[in-house]
Amino acid sequence: MIYRRGAGTSCGGQQSKTNILWQSLTFIFLFAAVSLVAVPQAAVAQPFVINSFEVEGNRRIETSTIIARTGIEPGQTVTAGELNDAFQRLLDSGVFETVELTPRGSTLVIEVEEYPTINQISIEGNRRVKDDVLLDAISSEPRRVFTAEVAEADADLIAEIYSSQGRVSATVIPRIIRRSDNRVDLVFEVAEGTTIEVERVSFVGNRAYSDRRLRRVLETKQANFLRTFLRGDTFIADRIEFDKQVIRDFYLSRGYVDFRVNSANVEFTRERDAFFLVMNITEGQKFSFGKITTVSEIPSVDPAAYQDALKIKPGVTYTPSLVENSIARMERLGIRQGVDFLRVEPRVTRNARDLTLDVEFVLTRGPRIFVERIDIEGNTTTLDRVIRRQFDTVEGDPFNPREIRQAAERIRALGFFAVADVEPREGSTPSQVIVDVDVEEQPTGSLSLGGSFSVSDGFGLAVGLSESNFLGRGQTVALNLSTAQDSEQYTLSFSEPYLLGRRLRFDVGLGLSSTNSSFASFDTETLFFRPQLSYAIGELSSLRLRYSWENSEMTQQDNLVNGAVIASEIAQGERSTSAIGVSYVYDSRLGGLNPNAGVLFEVGVDAAGLGGDNEYFQTTARGIAQTRVWNEEVVLRATLELGALSWQGDDFSRTLDRFVLGPSVFRGFEPAGIGPRDLSNGQDDAIGGNYYWVARFESDFPLGLPEELGLRGGVFYDVGNLYNIDDVDTTGANIVGADGSIRHVIGVAVLWDTPFGPLRFNFSQPLKKESFDKEQNFDFTIQARF
């Protein structure tokens, strides 16, 4: 090759340009050819004819199963789209990690990589939650296909279980250990972390009620030094949502119809070892009922009768529950009058000037829909009839959504089910509905251990074994053993809440009790049998019919000389009592018009003499009135209690039959510390009385201490009398106090609401008493259940 320079330069430059042009054209031609070759085959794909299959990589799944899963038959002509569908079907089977389909002539080559199977599952690092609880919650199971997505989801679920117990810092890592034959061991490594407590609960925007009052409503509590026994101070996210609802219900029940929770913020403390919970609320104004009227859009229905059925009156604090109760009362009246499909629509008019709400109840005719049937599912133990009797509606009755909702609440209130969903759906025709009841059973048996202390009986231990859904029949069977220093009691009880399929409660108790009190000069042994029937006669009232059989005996304590009265009563030996009784109870403390006030009234009469040795008439009565004042911070309570015994027959009564007052009835004195006494034989025996009355006035209030301590103060004033010993054998006795005298006592109290039971410390001082009375200036009681 000869390379020339100089004169040839000009020519050479022209030749260089020609070469460049030629090279450019050649490049464009080659680029176009390559681009045509690079066009996707799908664009020019031709159908494949598949005559045979070749499967590679499968170890557990049969070849025939894989081929069948593709949906392609031998000899079938397959397009690219159908090939892609076959690919997707294999992936959707959930057993293959990777899938590749390759047509080779008339053969379809299927290459798969199977997911491993789970050999076993173990959980490591968990101490607070048992393996059984966690394994039941997760989806992964031995001998099932392992997938990373499911394992990660199970790890998140385990972490949520810990979070629900306040361990929000818990972490769960799933790991696998490879085994032979494409198997793996799945291990969840748990780091439980520490329990995060709620250090402070506070409110923003509350004016009517203090933080202390609102904190008592919430399920979430502030941490205190007793948190070992307290679980309410643990931070649980779901509990916050529940608290938002209960605080809303609290305000709505007190007339604050515009109340809302703006936010519930949870923040870490600076040390990040606890939370602050701050609820921002808007209270709004408090409303009362204004005009209450009833109108009817049904020509045949007279609204006056329905207006008379209303209990709410103008001026009463507005609460949605009173409106709901009024609607239910009107609809029941409609059923009694034969008005089918009656619906009551409340129309509320706001009067902003005087802060009242006028309510007009409109009687209308609802749609003609009937209940086709009630389907119950999920009850593996509880009988269908136990659930069905919670419905006032049966098949063929007019459908009433309100009654269905109320039945659902009654089913949940049974306490037999962890989940109870009641939903109506359209039946076989548009004019019929089917009510579906889906429940999930939960344990209903319990073993309880309890402790108690009282000045009367000393320290005691109680053991109880009960089943509230005996044999799935909704019945309660309980065995209780209670023993203290000065008394023992063993009882076996049975309760049937729906006797003969009606809302008639039947209770029966059989037991043995004994006392060996240091405040009495005798011991007692009593065997008893007490059946009782109870039924509601009104929304707030009930009637109880009972029978009582007792066989009792007074015995002499060791090395103790008795007075004349007690000695004569011990000499009577065993005596039996057969009595029937009736009680009327009215209680508006929970279901009345005012959520902050209520009364309890109870009166009972017992007549003995239908067999047995004793004959008497005994009347007891009790009345309690209670209210909250000063933004519900202070509780005021007044109680009046009285009793009268009219002894019949020729026999003398015993101290065991008469009234003997203890500190729970009249504070400031020992058990049997007031009333008639026998001073004969150098003794000081309390012998009880035939009549008594006691009035107790008390108040409890906050002490200004942190609410989480659970301490409140109290003051009280008691006044009463115990007297009359007619039909008592007083031969040789030296009786004092038979005519009685009024005693007065004042005192202060400290109330401590602890996680293991309420404690009460009473410090009292009698203002007026008799010289023979037995004072008790300090009284301490505790009762706990574990």
Side-chain angles (χ1 to χ4, degrees):
M1 176 181 291
I2 298 174
Y3 184 77
R4 296 181 181 183
R5 300 173 67 89
T9 303
S10 174
C11 181
Q14 183 65 32
Q15 184 179 4
S16 176
K17 292 179 180 180
T18 302
N19 290 337
I20 292 173
L21 179 60
W22 174 255
Q23 292 173 358
S24 299
L25 292 174
T26 302
F27 176 79
I28 292 172
F29 174 77
L30 292 174
F31 178 78
V34 171
S35 299
L36 290 175
V37 173
V39 172
Q41 293 296 319
V44 294
Q46 299 297 322
F48 302 98
V49 178
I50 305 300
N51 293 323
S52 61
F53 299 87
E54 185 177 322
V55 180
E56 300 175 357
N58 57 316
R59 307 179 65 178
R60 298 190 318 274
I61 311 302
E62 296 290 339
T63 298
S64 59
T65 303
I66 298 175
I67 294 174
R69 175 72 68 172
T70 64
I72 300 175
E73 300 291 338
Q76 180 180 343
T77 300
V78 181
T79 65
E82 292 172 333
L83 197 62
N84 183 69
D85 292 341
F87 169 82
Q88 196 62 46
R89 280 193 290 271
L90 289 174
L91 278 183
D92 292 344
S93 66
V95 296
F96 302 114
E97 192 169 358
T98 62
V99 176
E100 184 176 346
L101 303 183
T102 306
R104 294 178 184 171
S106 62
T107 300
L108 179 61
V109 179
I110 306 173
E111 297 182 38
V112 297
E113 181 180 349
E114 297 173 344
Y115 279 119
T117 56
I118 300 174
N119 180 48
Q120 64 179 10
I121 302 175
S122 60
I123 302 176
E124 298 179 354
N126 58 313
R127 293 181 299 171
R128 300 292 180 179
V129 184
K130 295 182 179 180
D131 286 2
D132 294 343
V133 175
L134 299 178
L135 291 175
D136 288 344
I138 62 178
S139 301
S140 298
E141 296 181 9
R143 296 184 297 279
R144 294 290 182 88
V145 173
F146 167 80
T147 61
E149 293 79 4
V150 174
E152 289 291 343
D154 287 341
D156 293 340
L157 183 58
I158 293 174
E160 289 179 7
I161 293 175
Y162 276 97
S163 178
S164 68
Q165 298 185 3
R167 297 179 179 272
V168 295
S169 60
T171 59
V172 183
I173 301 175
R175 300 189 186 278
I176 58 173
I177 301 174
R178 295 284 180 178
R179 300 299 184 189
S180 60
D181 299 326
N182 198 26
R183 297 175 303 148
V184 295
D185 290 344
L186 177 57
V187 180
F188 292 98
E189 296 181 353
V190 179
E192 294 183 324
T194 59
T195 301
I196 306 299
E197 63 187 29
V198 179
E199 184 172 309
R200 172 66 60 181
V201 178
S202 57
F203 297 84
V204 176
N206 54 314
R207 295 174 299 170
Y209 300 99
S210 66
D211 285 14
R212 179 174 52 249
R213 177 66 184 97
L214 297 180
R215 279 195 291 265
R216 292 208 302 271
V217 178
L218 302 183
E219 187 75 13
T220 300
K221 304 299 182 183
Q222 294 182 159
N224 63 21
F225 65 95
L226 291 173
R227 75 171 322 273
T228 301
F229 306 96
L230 187 66
R231 291 293 175 261
D233 65 346
T234 299
F235 172 74
I236 299 175
D238 291 343
R239 186 185 288 160
I240 303 302
E241 292 301 316
F242 176 78
D243 285 339
K244 290 166 64 175
Q245 183 60 45
V246 297
I247 200 72
R248 181 175 182 273
D249 293 342
F250 172 83
Y251 271 97
L252 289 180
S253 67
R254 287 154 176 80
Y256 293 87
V257 296
D258 298 323
F259 174 83
R260 65 178 183 271
V261 178
N262 302 316
S263 63
N265 298 320
V266 180
E267 299 179 357
F268 265 119
T269 60
R270 179 175 300 180
E271 296 79 10
R272 302 187 66 82
D273 59 352
F275 282 104
F276 291 132
L277 172 60
V278 181
M279 279 196 177
N280 188 303
I281 63 176
T282 299
E283 291 181 329
Q285 298 291 329
K286 183 177 181 178
F287 283 79
S288 301
F289 281 102
K291 296 179 181 179
I292 310 296
T293 57
T294 304
V295 298
S296 175
E297 296 180 352
I298 306 174
S300 60
V301 175
D302 180 13
Y306 293 84
Q307 178 72 23
D308 293 340
L310 295 176
K311 300 295 184 181
I312 52 178
K313 304 297 180 183
V316 174
T317 299
Y318 179 86
T319 171
S321 62
L322 293 181
V323 177
E324 290 292 319
N325 293 340
S326 299
I327 294 173
R329 188 178 296 110
M330 287 177 156
E331 289 181 348
R332 288 196 297 268
L333 178 59
I335 293 174
R336 291 196 298 270
Q337 293 183 347
V339 183
D340 292 333
F341 307 104
L342 176 69
R343 297 292 182 269
V344 181
E345 178 185 343
R347 297 175 182 173
V348 180
T349 303
R350 178 190 293 256
N351 302 312
R353 181 182 298 274
D354 55 3
L355 298 179
T356 60
L357 297 174
D358 296 338
V359 182
E360 182 182 63
F361 294 98
V362 182
L363 309 179
T364 63
R365 185 85 69 178
R368 296 184 60 84
I369 300 177
F370 296 87
V371 176
E372 181 177 352
R373 66 176 184 271
I374 299 175
D375 288 343
I376 302 174
E377 296 182 355
N379 52 320
T380 57
T381 301
T382 306
L383 301 180
D384 280 5
R385 71 168 184 263
V386 175
I387 302 174
R388 191 175 293 273
R389 68 193 182 193
Q390 306 306 318
F391 288 89
D392 293 329
T393 301
V394 298
E395 284 82 350
D397 282 355
F399 172 68
N400 188 325
R402 188 180 308 281
E403 289 187 356
I404 300 302
R405 290 196 300 269
Q406 291 174 346
E409 292 301 322
R410 287 193 290 268
I411 292 173
R412 298 185 185 103
L414 291 174
F416 302 161
F417 310 109
V419 177
D421 295 325
V422 180
E423 295 293 339
R425 59 182 171 89
E426 185 175 324
S428 57
T429 64
S431 63
Q432 293 180 310
V433 298
I434 298 173
V435 180
D436 290 328
V437 182
D438 295 321
V439 297
E440 180 182 332
E441 302 271 6
Q442 67 179 3
T444 54
S446 65
L447 173 65
S448 62
L449 299 175
S452 65
F453 173 81
S454 69
V455 174
S456 305
D457 301 323
F459 287 97
L461 176 66
V463 180
L465 180 64
S466 66
E467 169 56 58
S468 59
N469 190 16
F470 183 63
L471 299 178
R473 300 173 180 271
Q475 301 165 339
T476 300
V477 177
L479 175 64
N480 293 284
L481 293 81
S482 176
T483 176
Q485 289 177 325
D486 294 339
S487 66
E488 294 181 357
Q489 182 165 306
Y490 309 91
T491 59
L492 175 64
S493 61
F494 172 82
S495 297
E496 167 56 73
Y498 283 82
L499 185 65
L500 303 177
R502 301 179 179 275
R503 289 181 180 171
L504 177 64
R505 183 179 183 89
F506 173 70
D507 298 280
V508 60
L510 175 65
L512 173 67
S513 66
S514 64
T515 63
N516 181 20
S517 175
S518 58
F519 296 99
S521 59
F522 58 90
D523 297 336
T524 66
E525 292 282 347
T526 304
L527 177 66
F528 59 87
F529 171 68
R530 298 168 183 165
Q532 176 177 276
L533 290 174
S534 306
Y535 60 94
I537 58 176
E539 294 183 10
L540 303 174
S541 58
S542 63
L543 197 65
R544 300 172 184 172
L545 302 175
R546 59 182 172 270
Y547 171 78
S548 174
W549 178 88
E550 294 183 357
N551 188 77
S552 59
E553 181 181 12
M554 298 171 58
T555 60
Q556 186 172 358
Q557 294 184 356
D558 295 338
N559 302 319
L560 184 65
V561 177
N562 299 113
V565 173
I566 299 299
S568 66
E569 293 174 353
I570 292 175
Q572 294 184 34
E574 292 187 5
R575 295 187 63 85
S576 61
T577 302
S578 177
I580 58 173
V582 60
S583 293
Y584 170 80
V585 180
Y586 175 87
D587 191 354
S588 67
R589 291 175 297 179
L590 293 179
L593 300 179
N594 188 347
N596 294 319
V599 298
L600 166 69
F601 174 71
E602 181 177 4
V603 60
V605 178
D606 291 273
L610 301 176
D613 301 315
N614 297 330
E615 297 181 25
Y616 61 79
F617 291 101
Q618 179 177 282
T619 303
T620 58
R622 180 174 58 139
I624 301 175
Q626 176 176 304
T627 188
R628 291 180 178 271
V629 297
W630 290 337
N631 293 332
E632 303 182 22
E633 296 283 0
V634 178
V635 178
L636 302 178
R637 185 182 303 108
T639 303
L640 176 63
E641 191 172 339
L642 54 88
L645 175 68
S646 176
W647 195 260
Q648 307 294 313
D650 300 329
D651 297 323
F652 292 109
S653 66
R654 301 171 300 171
T655 304
L656 194 60
D657 306 313
R658 296 185 290 270
F659 297 109
V660 177
L661 305 186
S664 61
V665 179
F666 202 155
R667 289 163 289 201
F669 298 95
E670 292 181 355
I674 68 169
R677 311 185 78 85
D678 177 15
L679 306 181
S680 63
N681 298 332
Q683 300 302 307
D684 187 357
D685 293 337
I687 59 175
N690 292 326
Y691 304 107
Y692 85 95
W693 63 267
V694 175
R696 299 189 295 271
F697 304 93
E698 55 191 318
S699 173
D700 62 78
F701 44 83
L703 294 174
L705 300 174
E707 180 68 18
E708 57 269 21
L709 295 179
L711 289 171
R712 291 174 63 84
V715 295
F716 59 86
Y717 165 69
D718 292 0
V719 57
N721 192 9
L722 173 65
Y723 58 100
N724 190 280
I725 55 170
D726 292 344
D727 302 299
V728 175
D729 185 2
T730 58
T731 304
N734 180 14
I735 304 297
V736 295
D739 296 332
S741 62
I742 299 177
R743 281 82 164 175
H744 300 263
V745 175
I746 61 171
V748 298
V750 177
L751 297 84
W752 189 13
D753 189 11
T754 70
F756 48 86
L759 307 182
R760 183 182 179 101
F761 306 86
N762 290 329
F763 303 88
S764 57
Q765 178 62 48
L767 297 178
K768 182 179 180 181
K769 67 180 185 64
E770 297 295 336
S771 59
F772 49 82
D773 290 338
K774 306 297 183 182
E775 291 186 38
Q776 182 175 279
N777 302 114
F778 173 72
D779 181 26
F780 164 63
T781 59
I782 174 175
Q783 182 175 359
R785 299 183 68 86
F786 309 97

